[in-house]
Amino acid sequence: MKNISSKAPKAAFSTRAIHSGYDSDTENGALTPPIYMTSTFAFDSAEQGGARFAGEEEGPIYSRLGNPTQSILETRLADLEEGEAALATASGMGAISAAFWTLLAAGDHIVADKTLYGCTFALIEHGLKKFGIEVSYVDCCNVEEITAALNENTKLVYFESPVNPNLRVMDIQKISDEVHRFNSEIKVIVDNTYCTPAIQQPLMLGADLVVHSATKYLGGHGDLIAGAVVGDAETIQRIRFEGLKDMTGAVIAPMTAFLIMRGLKTLELRMQRHSETALIIAERLQQHPAVEVTYYPGLPTDPYYDLAKQQMSLSGGMLAFELKGGLEAGKSFMNKLQMIKRAVSLGDAETLCQHPASMTHSTYTPEQRLAHGVSEGLVRLSIGLEGVEDIWQDIERGLLA
Ligand code: 3LM
């Protein structure tokens, strides 16, 4: 089967997640894509090498510039996110930093949501700012706050939806429309790690670029670190040859690209199961007397429920909550868990529990956490693929404690 995505009518998401970008006819019939474990590629002639470097002839050169296994993954990711092109990277932070270093220069201004994954916040706060880029943190749930912050130097608007770790949801379509009305050149970048394209496709809602930590649901098995940027072909090409090739060198390993493709085959199935179980757990947490507040956009009482229904096909596997006893109760809950692992990361088959203030969001100072909406007592759960009653039994044990 040739690149299935080019056939009309378009194949189903799950079909494309399995087949897109790979033609077994050209690979000795191999069912799964070969892993090209090579750092460099031989040229037929000096002229051919020169032509490849000059961009006059297509073909591999050196694996920091691209590798055939990586290319199959990139075609597949672009297809699933409905983008023209994708770039796979060594980590989610590699993807975000390659995009930032390509699109920004000293004197530029960016608008970012006030709550970001801890290392993304640190990259902006300790990286971009050091190199003369101005930052406005705003509440991106309030589109007027974004438009009020835009100025003639603004080059990009950056947010996660839902947000790690507090699960606020942004109106991607409205933000993209308003930002582009102000200046169509400004790039709206959405971190789609929590949803994956199986749930939400920001490019279809008007965003310019999507970034991912592929370490999470895309890989799906907790056995790799990787990232991706998806968008229009011209921008992705720039990020590949500036931000990736020359500035970060954050190249994905061929074996890792293979493992992500293995994960993608079950992405839609997994997201359905993660979402189903997370909703049941969120409902039970919400009703539990020890719980002060539960954050999950799939709960009808959640302030983001309607918006999430509009732009997400499922509610996802991530939830967070605060216990009535605050920080101490949260820690004691975590220490009582038996099956559920106390670990950062998310999107794995195993249910994981972590404390953002002292772990993923410890890059913020306590004052910054307060200002940026990460409460000290918040506990985050990445709901896995185990049986729902087994997950609940462990959580209930923790809550009783
Ligand atoms: C975490 N997050 O446990 P990598 N964007 C988002 C993310 O959640 C992450 C990245 C980007 C976690 C990692 S904390 C030390 C563990 C929304 C990562 C960065 O570079 O692939 O880790 O992605 O929340």
Side-chain angles (χ1 to χ4, degrees), residues 152-282:
E152 60 186 10
N153 297 326
T154 310
K155 292 293 182 320
L156 59 91
V157 172
Y158 187 94
F159 58 90
E160 301 162 6
S161 187
V163 170
N164 182 359
N166 57 25
L167 290 140
R168 288 154 55 246
V169 177
M170 314 304 162
D171 190 333
I172 300 172
Q173 181 83 62
K174 197 165 166 193
I175 293 172
S176 304
D177 289 350
E178 291 298 321
V179 170
H180 292 144
R181 197 194 318 276
F182 180 86
N183 178 353
S184 60
E185 299 291 307
I186 297 174
K187 302 272 185 227
V188 174
I189 307 185
V190 181
D191 185 327
N192 202 26
T193 298
Y194 261 39
C195 281
T196 82
I199 291 187
Q200 171 175 278
Q201 291 162 313
L203 302 178
M204 298 291 277
L205 298 166
D208 299 291
L209 291 173
V210 163
V211 293
H212 276 284
S213 169
T215 312
K216 314 296 171 3
Y217 293 106
L218 297 181
H221 295 77
D223 51 9
L224 58 88
I225 299 280
V229 195
V230 192
D232 66 280
E234 194 187 326
T235 308
I236 296 299
Q237 185 78 341
R238 273 192 62 203
I239 299 173
R240 185 188 303 280
F241 287 107
E242 295 176 37
L244 181 70
K245 176 171 86 67
D246 300 335
M247 297 188 187
T248 62
V251 177
I252 192 169
M255 178 74 185
T256 306
F258 172 88
L259 287 172
I260 296 170
M261 289 192 269
R262 184 161 74 164
L264 287 177
K265 293 180 188 186
T266 54
L267 177 65
E268 192 178 43
L269 274 174
R270 289 186 285 109
M271 294 319 291
Q272 285 164 356
R273 174 69 173 264
H274 283 299
S275 301
E276 262 170 41
T277 309
L279 177 60
I280 295 169
I281 301 291

Side-chain angles (χ1 to χ4, degrees), residues 90-94 96 117 119-120 158 160 162 164 191 193-194 211-216 225-227 343-346 354 359-361 380:
S91 66
M93 289 315 300
I96 297 166
Y117 162 61
C119 295
T120 307
Y158 187 94
E160 301 162 6
N164 182 359
D191 185 327
T193 298
Y194 261 39
V211 293
H212 276 284
S213 169
T215 312
K216 314 296 171 3
I225 299 280
V344 295
S345 203
L346 57 110
Q354 69 107 8
M359 299 175 186
T360 53
H361 291 68
R380 188 186 79 181

